[in-house]
Amino acid sequence: MLRTIFLHTAMNTASLLEKHIWGTMPEKLPDEVSVPLPARIRLSHAYFQNLANANDIDLLHVKGYAFGTEVYAPNRNSTDVDLLVRPAHVARFLYLLKKDGWRSLTTFESGSIFEHAATLYHPSWGLTDVHRYFPGINFYDQAGAFEKLWEKRRLKQIAHFDCYVPQLVDCRNIVVVHGARSTGHGLHSDVLHLQRTLTDAQWQEMRERIREFNSEIAFDAALGDIEKHRGNRQYLFWKSAAEPTPLPLQWLGRLQRAEGLKQKLHVLTNIAEINDDHLAMTLGHEPTHQEKRHLFFERFERILRWKNK
Amino acid sequence: MEKQIDPLYLRAEHTAFVYETDLDDSQEGSDKLYLANLLTSELLVLEGSGPVIWDLLDEPKTANTLMTQVAETFEVSVETVEGPVLSFLSSLENQGFVQH
């Protein structure tokens, strides 16, 4: 439960002599008089690190204020905290969060087609995305990818609290491969910023590092060079993530990327099912049966329209 | 006669804080400080002399030392700040933001 308390200690040299001002503290104000989002997010980074320290959870703070102006353009705002958790620690971490008042908004399966992050909400801290892997960083060996990032981690103060973040070159690569998910026209603005500010040598260092993760495809997709990977089993998947692509081709990309029968069946099931969490967020309310039915059939109509083009 | 030991006050380990001026350049001149108790998820907003006292607690010190330093900072007598500083410390301690 959030208790925002305003300590009314507004003092300056002149008013200090007016003792009654001191005498008014502490004064409770309603919850809506709260901490602004940019401060709240920074403080919640510290909260997560403290929780992780106390429970031997390995996690890395990624994107947003954790990376800050080392990687992003100045004055870029964030709306949530992104955490990359050692895959073997994810279940325990989610259990601890729920015990501490966090509510699940989406599961890994319902969050996005990448199935990489679960979104949770807490009335004091706001929103967080708990990542079990980072899309674009070695999908086929998620535990190994985390270990590689973890080995090179560093401490960075966020809200005057020591938090673990990846080494700088990994931060830059994470921002680049994240840019491959933009499905827009042209390169992502964060990638453009890196192109404007980094030297050729720094890009070379990033490329060498991304090779260690066998993850050049997302890196190149973000830079508009996906065609270099034609024939790769992840080609269609990343092409459809980086560029506007008809829905059936997106599904085909997901199927091609999936490894083995079990994963392919999982993708098929996921495609067929209506994503209640996603639909609820789009509509702004719990979807009705009618709305779910409409979405289910509307997808097949889109396939027919695409085939008839 | 037994000598009374003056306890040292210090910031609790499980606290984090952000100055409003850290958030962006447009906040220049603001004296607000946002403080979090990472164990209880409680948040505080400090203004005016609150952040000054918090800054002075960057290393452990007795209430007497703290009161002297606050008085020096605001160029007033120790007697003037004694009550408010002790009350402020007690409030922060009760909410787990400082310990001694």
Side-chain angles (χ1 to χ4, degrees), chain A residues 178-248:
Chain A
H178 181 252
R181 289 192 256 154
S182 59
T183 331
H185 296 280
L187 303 191
H188 193 284
S189 57
D190 294 332
V191 177
L192 287 170
H193 173 71
L194 290 176
Q195 283 188 324
R196 278 194 298 269
T197 53
L198 299 183
T199 63
D200 288 347
Q202 286 168 319
W203 276 98
Q204 185 56 33
E205 184 192 11
M206 288 158 65
R207 193 168 278 286
E208 282 167 16
R209 179 64 173 161
I210 205 75
R211 207 170 289 138
E212 292 178 30
F213 291 89
N214 297 317
S215 299
E216 296 99 314
I217 189 163
F219 189 88
D220 284 327
L223 297 171
D225 289 333
I226 185 69
E227 294 308 321
K228 278 162 61 176
H229 298 274
R230 195 177 267 275
N232 185 307
R233 67 194 289 190
Q234 294 192 74
Y235 165 77
L236 196 51
F237 180 83
W238 281 107
K239 188 176 170 66
S240 66
E243 300 169 7
T245 309
L247 193 58

Side-chain angles (χ1 to χ4, degrees), chain A residues 3-7 9-11 13 16-17 19 22 25 35-36 39 42-43 46-47 50 75 124-125 159-161, chain B residues 13 15-19 23 34 36 38-39 41-50 74 76 80 84 87-88 95:
Chain A
R3 266 206 318 141
T4 302
I5 296 171
F6 183 88
L7 283 174
T9 55
M11 298 291 293
T13 308
L16 184 70
L17 299 172
K19 274 188 139 184
W22 284 100
M25 67 176 189
V35 176
R42 286 170 170 89
L43 293 168
Y47 160 84
N50 188 61
N75 296 326
S124 283
W125 304 113
H160 298 264
F161 199 85
Chain B
E13 273 180 27
T15 55
F17 57 99
V18 176
Y19 297 98
L23 302 181
Y34 303 105
L38 307 177
L39 293 180
S41 298
E42 195 163 318
L43 306 176
L44 289 182
V45 183
L46 303 185
E47 279 188 276
S49 56
F74 290 99
V76 293
T80 307
S87 164
F88 182 67
Q95 293 165 80

